[in-house]
Amino acid sequence: MLPGDRITLRARHEADVPVLQAELYDDVPTRARADSRPWRPIPPGSAHSPYAVAGPSEEAAPFSVVETATGELVGEAILWGVDLHNRTGHLGLSLRPGYRGRGFAADAVRVLCRYGFEVRGLHRLQVETLADNAAMIRAATAAGFTVEGTLRRAAWVCGEFLDEVVLGQLAEEWRG
């Protein structure tokens, strides 16, 4: 487990999957904004759920985010697209609706950075998010990320193209 100030990142438990599936995946407008792949219906309990518990992988490290004080499931966080040759990776975060706007995101991003830089030894971490996702941009910049650019109309989301913002952080910039 990886503790932060208010949250802890831990391995995904089987009991987390139905909650994450119902509150994050089955909310089509929200999921469409969080994943560049098209949403498709996935039945509860399917091994194809993006939250299904799987074995370790060099390319991705999915976590459940829990509130440290209560043990309540807050959402999911992932280090994905890990490239061991270039020592890079991408961060992703999705919080359950009842936990948004409560300061958990910035803490989760900091803990993911600690994992990526200190545990995995990566050189660069990157976040891609929709330009109107002010909460994720705030959380990433609070954790030391720099806005590196905007990809104009790069994301197809529920019938329209939206801009994406790319943020990056190098290991030497990390304030662990």
Side-chain angles (χ1 to χ4, degrees):
M1 293 197 294
L2 300 166
D5 293 333
R6 300 182 57 211
I7 61 89
T8 298
L9 299 184
R10 64 158 168 77
R12 180 88 29 87
H13 295 175
E14 286 291 343
D16 301 341
V17 176
V19 175
L20 296 173
Q21 178 81 23
E23 293 191 32
L24 300 179
Y25 189 83
D26 290 342
D27 176 356
V28 177
T30 298
R31 182 64 186 192
R33 295 175 55 78
D35 193 335
S36 62
R37 297 168 294 189
W39 184 89
R40 293 192 170 97
I42 296 174
S46 171
H48 298 289
S49 169
Y51 310 107
V53 176
S57 163
E58 290 296 319
E59 295 81 30
F63 295 95
S64 287
V65 181
V66 295
E67 185 176 12
T68 305
T70 65
E72 290 291 318
L73 179 65
V74 171
E76 65 121 3
I78 186 168
L79 176 68
W80 63 276
V82 175
D83 175 341
L84 295 176
H85 176 73
N86 293 303
R87 294 178 47 206
T88 61
H90 303 256
L91 303 186
L93 179 68
S94 189
L95 302 183
R96 296 171 58 199
Y99 294 91
R100 295 176 190 153
R102 295 174 50 188
F104 294 118
D107 196 21
V109 170
R110 281 190 292 275
V111 177
L112 272 175
C113 287
R114 188 170 73 237
Y115 176 73
F117 291 132
E118 296 178 7
V119 177
R120 298 292 296 266
L122 299 179
H123 168 71
R124 173 187 166 79
L125 295 176
Q126 183 169 311
V127 171
E128 302 90 6
T129 191
L130 296 176
D132 65 356
N133 188 350
M136 186 60 187
I137 294 169
R138 266 192 318 275
T141 56
F145 281 81
T146 300
V147 174
E148 296 180 333
T150 299
L151 305 174
R152 297 176 306 136
R153 300 181 66 190
W156 177 253
V157 179
C158 294
E160 65 180 322
F161 285 104
L162 300 175
D163 292 350
E164 281 186 327
V165 173
V166 177
L167 301 101
Q169 184 170 187
L170 302 177
E172 58 264 21
E173 299 166 340
W174 169 240
R175 307 171 284 209

